[in-house]
Amino acid sequence: MQQQTLPLFRETYIRGQLKHEIFYNEENWYAIIRLKIEETTEPIKDSDVIVVGHFPRPHEDEIYTFYGEWKEHPKYGKQYVATRYERETPKTLSGVEKYLSSGLFSGVGKKIAKRIVKHLGVDALQTIADYPEQLAEIPGISEQRARQIYESVLEHQSLERTMVFLYEYGIGVHLALRIYQAYKLETMTVLTETPYRLVEDIQGIGFKRADDIALASGIAASSPERVKAACLYVLQETGYSEGHVYIPNDELMERALQLLTECGGHVFHAPDVEEAIQQLFMDNKLQLEEDRVYLPSLFFAEIGLTKRLHYFASREQEESFPASEFYQAIGKVEDELKISYAPKQREAVEKAVQSGLMLLTGGPGTGKTTVIRGICHVFSQLHGISLDPKKYNPTENPFPILLVAPTGRAAKRMSETTGLPAMTIHRLLGWKGESFEHDSEHPISGKLMIIDEMSMVDVWLANQLFRSLPKEMTVVMVGDPDQLPSVGPGNVLQDMIQSEMIPIVELTDIYRQSQESTIISLAHDVRLGKVPQDLLSRTHDRRFFTSSPQNVLEVVKQICSSSVLKGYTAKDIQVLAPIYKGVAGVNQINEELQKLFNPPSEQKREVAFGEMVFRVKDKVLQLVNNAEEQVFNGDMGEVVAIFRPSENEENEELMVVSFDGREVTYRRSQYHQLTLAYCCSVHKSQGSEFPIVIMPLVRNYYRMLRRKLVYTGITRSKSYLLMCGDPDAFRIAVENDEEGVRYSYLQDRLRELG
């Protein structure tokens, strides 16, 4: 075995042949192999090592060079983690024959491979790619099979070239596979001739990466395509990271020029950007309206939502009920539910059943849930509707009252508090991954819809929902305007309130049972920008543990340990942090709490995925919408099983997660959809409630220390709120009511129509 000593700045590599395959996933190329080393950059004791990473299935006759780094796995010991690879194709007749019959190429078995090599020789693969007609000349290979083999060889070569090419730009296998799936055999053409398309087509590809690829491919640094790509990237990035529906033209020009300057090369000026914007408008890749610049999807979503909101708000009810009939109905409901509605609650119920559209707002403890339940029951009394779901057929006679929320946990809470079925907005609309089953031409069925947690709904989803509603439907939107706005573009709830064009009832009184909660009183103090004098005092349902930033993680662990001793589980306890990185960030807290709540054990299976380890009984969070399995961003579950490849028909590693009893199976290629959930961001917790909420607050969070963030975190707590860290960080957050501007024209459009 040859060894070399190279300068420290060179990346390490190992070169050799496959000795044994331990695991391989055909879908995402994830491999664990034992490699017989022939050459390496550093001295090692063993002649063969374990290599893990994403690369094509290796074969005995191939030589691979893997680039990466050595890591010590806590369970499996020393491994070489490959970040990229180079493959030397087989150079012998037997090697080429084995490679062709390896299963990589459709239509090629051992017999066909032998015939191909006999006729085309050691350069068979290149000959097939360059002269496919020669395949049909081989006995036993029909024209149809020849075409199948040719296309398979081209696809494999294209995919491998794509992987090797993109590795150079730090693009990992998951993103590289998505790029290939988007363009297929045209991938290398796109990458080398029109790489700026990546900015438009592939989420996760930023301008800098596309620009590096473009310049390396020979595209001129002065190309107008650079400017157009920079403009589109700024629109996309500000929409989905800052919540803007549009950007003022001058600001777009300024940001695009700044981005181009940071990337270096040719110096562009304002007229260059102005020309690029006009060209993009002519190409229908953006929309211009006065000084506002939109992505087309957001432009049409804002206009569409405005029209639908105006229609429902101004629509006269087909059935109107005299006051006497309403009071008779609400009186009957009060008797049935053994409740007495306050005047404001009665007003809310009456306005809801008499209006086409109504907005119900209020903070914690003000009775929003009570009113929602009252609206459902009074509506059913007035319209003669049964509230027994068993009396309805989902296809022929669906349940006429629809309760929806942006997240699964929020929908579940609605169902628990009303006793009626509830679901996510995505599920109601029939989200299929790229489109919805319901739209303006295929509306949903129903008479009353109540949408909870409206502050979480962005302009795009709101438009998709409202364009799918039948014209005669009564719609009630419920939300807390003091919570964080939606993660996606827009500020729909605030825009509707401030437009003053939609009937609204605001609940402000805190009711007796809620008055006993110091968590609720603290939330209302925060909403008003007040720091209570008893912040550091211990109450029956909340406490603040002072701690330095360096010790706050230990304090969180101690609180969790104490809660476990009192009989609480990881499901009951939710740690909320505003940032992901750092000693008091989501990632580090998750790593430490996993050790506490679910330590490694011989009795529990686990799988390593990147820097994360998933273990049976882990609490996990869904990060993306999965239309096929009907699990959505923000859903929390528990890992209930991990299967080895030999234990299932798919012959691959599988992980099963239970979401409130509904089991979803994940292939390794889907593990990126999950993360540990012992700690999550405040944004991810919206729409949920937890018995115990732990909130670390330190000055390290300074960029995120804002009133709405702390308020939203506090209101996630159902029974106990345990804060820890620096009281001054709490004060800074409460006094900081700056939300940052969100460019949206919805409010103005509603007023113009009104």
Side-chain angles (χ1 to χ4, degrees):
M1 179 173 62
Q2 181 183 354
Q3 294 177 343
Q4 298 180 347
T5 303
L6 297 178
L8 290 176
F9 63 84
R10 291 280 298 277
E11 62 184 333
T12 68
Y13 72 82
I14 56 176
R15 181 175 178 272
Q17 287 181 285
L18 172 72
K19 185 174 182 180
H20 174 61
E21 179 185 296
I22 299 170
F23 171 78
Y24 193 78
N25 185 329
E26 294 283 2
E27 188 171 332
N28 67 353
W29 290 11
Y30 180 77
I32 304 173
I33 64 169
R34 186 174 291 278
L35 191 77
K36 182 180 178 182
I37 296 182
E38 296 183 359
E39 185 179 321
T40 179
T41 52
E42 59 181 291
I44 57 173
K45 295 179 181 178
D46 301 318
S47 61
D48 55 85
V49 296
I50 300 295
V51 181
V52 299
H54 297 268
F55 41 84
R57 178 170 247 148
H59 297 275
E60 293 177 5
D61 293 275
E62 295 176 302
I63 299 293
Y64 268 77
T65 302
F66 294 106
Y67 298 86
E69 59 180 332
W70 294 100
K71 287 192 177 181
E72 188 74 27
H73 190 279
K75 186 173 181 180
Y76 302 110
K78 193 172 185 179
Q79 299 178 337
Y80 192 80
V81 180
T83 55
R84 65 186 184 91
Y85 69 92
E86 292 175 1
R87 179 176 62 84
E88 299 176 22
T89 54
K91 293 180 172 60
T92 65
L93 292 173
S94 62
V96 175
E97 187 178 314
K98 285 181 181 178
Y99 185 58
L100 276 168
S101 62
S102 64
L104 287 173
F105 307 103
S106 179
V108 183
K110 289 184 179 180
K111 290 182 180 180
I112 295 295
K114 187 180 289 291
R115 290 174 188 168
I116 291 173
V117 173
K118 182 179 178 180
H119 282 77
L120 302 182
V122 74
D123 296 323
L125 285 165
Q126 197 57 50
T127 302
I128 292 171
D130 295 339
Y131 307 103
E133 66 277 3
Q134 293 191 21
L135 273 174
E137 298 171 3
I138 299 173
I141 298 181
S142 65
E143 286 190 15
Q144 183 179 352
R145 177 168 287 195
R147 191 181 308 111
Q148 182 184 14
I149 295 170
Y150 167 66
E151 290 175 353
S152 183
V153 167
L154 277 190
E155 184 170 347
H156 183 74
Q157 288 185 346
S158 176
L159 177 54
E160 193 162 291
R161 282 200 300 269
T162 298
M163 292 295 183
V164 173
F165 184 88
L166 292 175
Y167 272 141
E168 296 292 330
Y169 301 96
I171 296 175
V173 67
H174 296 297
L175 193 50
L177 283 171
R178 277 191 16 229
I179 292 171
Y180 184 80
Q181 286 162 1
Y183 305 121
K184 295 294 184 183
L185 294 178
E186 299 298 315
T187 303
M188 288 306 300
T189 303
V190 171
L191 292 174
T192 55
E193 296 181 11
T194 56
Y196 290 113
R197 281 183 59 185
L198 296 170
V199 176
E200 300 175 54
D201 300 339
I202 311 296
Q203 187 176 357
I205 292 289
F207 175 78
K208 183 67 170 66
R209 275 180 171 172
D211 196 45
D212 287 343
I213 294 170
L215 296 177
S217 299
I219 292 177
S222 58
S223 169
E225 296 302 314
R226 287 188 78 197
V227 191
K228 290 194 282 187
C231 292
L232 286 175
Y233 176 73
V234 169
L235 278 174
Q236 292 171 353
E237 186 67 12
T238 54
Y240 292 95
S241 67
E242 299 176 33
H244 298 312
V245 180
Y246 71 87
I247 300 183
N249 189 70
D250 289 346
E251 187 170 333
L252 173 58
M253 291 177 61
E254 182 182 340
R255 289 196 187 209
L257 282 172
Q258 182 181 349
L259 179 60
L260 289 162
T261 301
E262 289 171 356
C263 290
H266 182 78
V267 178
F268 292 97
H269 301 284
D272 300 315
V273 182
E274 188 70 54
E275 185 178 343
I277 292 172
Q278 290 298 325
Q279 186 60 54
L280 287 167
F281 172 64
M282 296 295 290
D283 294 339
N284 296 316
K285 291 185 177 179
L286 56 75
Q287 290 291 321
L288 296 175
E289 187 181 54
E290 297 179 356
D291 68 332
R292 299 181 294 278
V293 188
Y294 293 80
L295 289 172
S297 61
L298 297 180
F299 176 74
F300 293 113
E302 189 176 80
I303 288 178
L305 178 59
T306 303
K307 291 178 179 177
R308 298 296 283 176
L309 288 174
H310 179 261
Y311 166 78
F312 281 103
S314 57
R315 174 175 67 85
E316 292 186 7
Q317 288 284 58
E318 292 182 6
E319 291 183 77
S320 58
F321 302 94
S324 59
E325 198 168 335
F326 167 75
Y327 288 122
Q328 183 180 354
I330 200 168
K332 190 173 181 180
V333 170
E334 285 181 320
D335 291 339
E336 287 179 359
L337 301 181
K338 295 181 173 55
I339 192 173
S340 178
Y341 292 109
K344 202 70 175 177
Q345 292 178 320
R346 279 180 168 244
E347 178 192 342
V349 174
E350 182 175 15
K351 186 169 286 189
V353 298
Q354 300 280 28
S355 306
L357 180 69
M358 189 197 84
L359 185 54
L360 176 68
T361 68
T366 57
K368 294 194 300 295
T369 299
T370 301
V371 172
I372 290 173
R373 197 176 179 204
I375 292 169
C376 294
H377 282 261
V378 171
F379 190 90
S380 73
Q381 289 282 342
L382 292 172
H383 291 268
I385 295 171
S386 170
L387 291 181
D388 183 1
K390 295 178 182 178
K391 294 185 177 180
Y392 296 87
N393 184 305
T395 53
E396 298 175 4
N397 181 31
F399 194 63
I401 296 179
L402 303 173
L403 305 183
V404 297
T407 68
R409 292 184 72 87
K412 184 184 177 186
R413 206 169 83 237
M414 277 187 95
S415 183
E416 290 171 346
T417 54
T418 61
L420 300 174
M423 67 185 77
T424 63
I425 296 172
H426 283 85
R427 186 176 178 187
L428 172 74
L429 297 180
W431 175 241
K432 296 178 180 177
E434 295 182 355
S435 62
F436 290 99
E437 181 182 334
H438 294 288
D439 52 27
S440 56
E441 295 180 4
H442 308 89
I444 58 176
S445 298
K447 293 187 176 182
L448 168 67
M449 171 176 285
I450 301 180
I451 312 163
D452 200 9
E453 298 289 353
M454 197 65 200
S455 63
M456 298 176 64
V457 182
D458 62 41
V459 69
W460 184 82
L461 183 59
N463 179 55
Q464 295 298 327
L465 176 59
F466 272 87
R467 70 194 291 260
S468 304
L469 302 183
K471 293 183 177 181
E472 66 278 5
M473 179 170 272
T474 296
V475 183
V476 178
M477 299 174 289
V478 184
D480 183 346
D482 294 301
Q483 285 193 34
L484 287 167
S486 59
V487 175
N491 205 353
V492 175
L493 179 60
Q494 286 285 8
D495 283 345
M496 289 190 298
I497 293 170
Q498 292 172 11
S499 74
E500 299 180 345
M501 302 306 298
I502 294 171
I504 182 171
V505 175
E506 181 184 6
L507 303 177
T508 55
D509 294 336
I510 301 174
Y511 293 94
R512 185 183 61 80
Q513 188 175 358
S514 298
Q515 287 174 345
E516 297 170 1
S517 167
T518 69
I519 298 172
I520 288 177
S521 62
L522 174 65
H524 284 276
D525 282 340
V526 168
R527 183 176 65 84
L528 298 171
K530 293 164 51 179
V531 178
Q533 293 184 347
D534 67 345
L535 176 66
L536 302 182
S537 300
R538 182 174 184 173
T539 72
H540 68 281
D541 58 0
R542 67 173 170 84
R543 190 173 179 184
F544 198 117
F545 299 87
T546 57
S547 166
S548 67
Q550 295 76 22
N551 294 328
V552 74
L553 181 53
E554 282 302 315
V555 174
V556 169
K557 289 162 63 178
Q558 289 172 15
I559 295 171
C560 290
S561 297
S562 177
S563 300
V564 169
L565 290 174
K566 293 176 182 177
Y568 293 99
T569 67
K571 288 183 180 179
D572 304 318
I573 305 164
Q574 189 59 53
V575 182
L576 302 178
I579 62 174
Y580 282 88
K581 296 181 180 179
V583 69
V586 171
N587 297 338
Q588 185 65 40
I589 294 175
N590 263 325
E591 190 176 322
E592 292 298 317
L593 293 186
Q594 184 188 40
K595 297 175 187 175
L596 173 69
F597 285 114
N598 194 26
S601 161
E602 291 294 329
Q603 285 72 47
K604 283 183 283 191
R605 287 186 173 183
E606 64 179 46
V607 291
F609 184 72
E611 298 296 317
M612 197 177 304
V613 172
F614 291 113
R615 193 172 292 134
V616 171
K617 294 190 177 180
D618 267 336
K619 180 180 178 182
V620 293
L621 178 77
Q622 179 77 14
L623 294 173
V624 297
N625 293 329
N626 184 333
E628 186 177 344
E629 296 291 350
Q630 289 295 293
V631 289
F632 300 102
N633 187 354
D635 288 351
M636 286 189 180
E638 179 182 322
V639 178
V640 293
I642 293 172
F643 294 104
R644 306 300 182 209
S646 60
E647 298 171 341
N648 58 82
E649 293 179 358
E650 289 83 358
N651 194 33
E652 61 178 299
E653 184 181 274
L654 302 173
M655 181 161 59
V656 182
V657 178
S658 173
F659 294 93
D660 295 319
R662 185 172 180 276
E663 293 188 351
V664 177
T665 300
Y666 293 80
R667 297 179 173 184
R668 190 174 182 89
S669 60
Q670 298 171 310
Y671 288 1
H672 67 281
Q673 296 182 11
L674 298 167
T675 188
L676 295 175
Y678 301 104
C679 177
C680 70
S681 69
V682 179
H683 264 112
K684 290 290 187 185
S685 73
Q686 275 187 274
S688 302
E689 279 187 348
F690 308 94
I692 299 174
V693 165
I694 301 171
M695 284 182 62
L697 287 163
V698 292
R699 290 184 183 233
N700 303 42
Y701 299 156
Y702 66 96
R703 289 185 180 178
M704 302 296 291
L705 291 176
R706 292 178 179 163
R707 184 184 300 171
K708 282 195 171 185
L709 184 133
V710 173
Y711 173 83
T712 303
I714 290 171
T715 54
R716 301 307 94 207
S717 176
K718 192 174 182 179
S719 303
Y720 297 98
L721 173 66
L722 302 167
M723 295 177 287
C724 55
D726 186 351
D728 279 341
F730 181 90
R731 176 186 54 77
I732 291 168
V734 172
E735 293 176 354
N736 180 11
D737 64 346
E738 295 181 11
E739 296 179 43
V741 175
R742 279 198 172 203
Y743 294 122
S744 165
Y745 207 63
L746 179 63
Q747 179 187 152
D748 302 83
R749 292 188 195 280
L750 286 169
R751 285 177 175 164
E752 288 169 4
L753 281 181

